[in-house]
Amino acid sequence: MKTHFDFNDSVFEKQFKEGILDPSLFTHQAHLRLAWIYINKYAIDLACLEVSTQILAYVTKLGAVDKFNKTLTIAAVKTVNHFARKSKSNNFRDFITEFPRLSHNFKELIDAHYGFDIFNSEKAKTQYLPPDLLPYS
């Protein structure tokens, strides 16, 4: 396997949930794909809960809990949701092509909501901090 796109959504989700997805495949774009899958399965609040719970379990299994950032994870789900509501795509590959900013300008998208650095905040890693500039709708 070379990319998460080598799996259909069901296999990707199952391998991730079981903690057996090759860590080299869990890229930034794969994070966004997980959010996209759960947004399409659940309401936004449950999608945020599921994605953050599963990513924490995954990184815990890998011994990489220090890489988890709860605020960034939930902000990513909410960002994907914002674009998903505007999307005409019915699969993630088309979705990410439709909105390339998610892949190429993600930090800029997040920084529009936060006036402080959530990427390096110790508090943001362990608890969700709501945006202080632009709320997610």
Side-chain angles (χ1 to χ4, degrees):
M1 296 287 152
K2 294 182 182 173
T3 172
H4 64 93
F5 283 119
D6 293 338
F7 301 111
N8 67 34
D9 286 348
S10 298
V11 173
F12 172 75
E13 178 189 0
K14 184 176 189 287
Q15 286 205 2
F16 182 79
K17 198 176 217 178
E18 292 175 358
I20 60 172
L21 182 72
D22 182 335
S24 69
L25 301 180
F26 200 58
T27 61
H28 166 68
Q29 208 173 72
H31 279 79
L32 299 178
R33 182 179 181 189
L34 188 66
W36 186 85
I37 289 168
Y38 283 111
I39 287 165
N40 284 294
K41 284 178 104 169
Y42 308 113
I44 184 64
D45 290 339
L46 186 52
C48 288
L49 177 64
E50 284 295 316
V51 171
S52 61
T53 299
Q54 288 184 26
I55 290 177
L56 181 56
Y58 183 74
V59 297
T60 299
K61 185 172 184 173
L62 296 175
V65 175
D66 59 314
K67 296 185 185 242
F68 181 73
N69 183 315
K70 187 164 190 155
T71 300
L72 182 56
T73 299
I74 292 173
V77 175
K78 291 181 178 211
T79 301
V80 169
N81 185 61
H82 169 80
F83 288 97
R85 290 191 333 241
K86 299 176 180 193
S87 179
K88 295 178 177 149
S89 303
N90 64 1
N91 64 74
F92 182 75
R93 188 183 297 265
D94 290 346
F95 172 73
I96 204 68
T97 300
E98 185 180 6
F99 300 104
R101 293 174 63 201
L102 290 166
S103 290
H104 306 296
N105 299 95
F106 184 75
K107 186 175 185 316
E108 186 179 292
L109 292 170
I110 297 299
D111 287 347
H113 295 271
Y114 290 91
F116 58 96
D117 182 6
I118 68 166
F119 293 88
N120 295 302
S121 165
E122 288 303 314
K123 192 173 182 182
K125 288 182 177 188
T126 59
Q127 65 187 62
Y128 175 65
L129 304 176
D132 62 334
L133 295 179
L134 178 64
Y136 288 100
S137 54

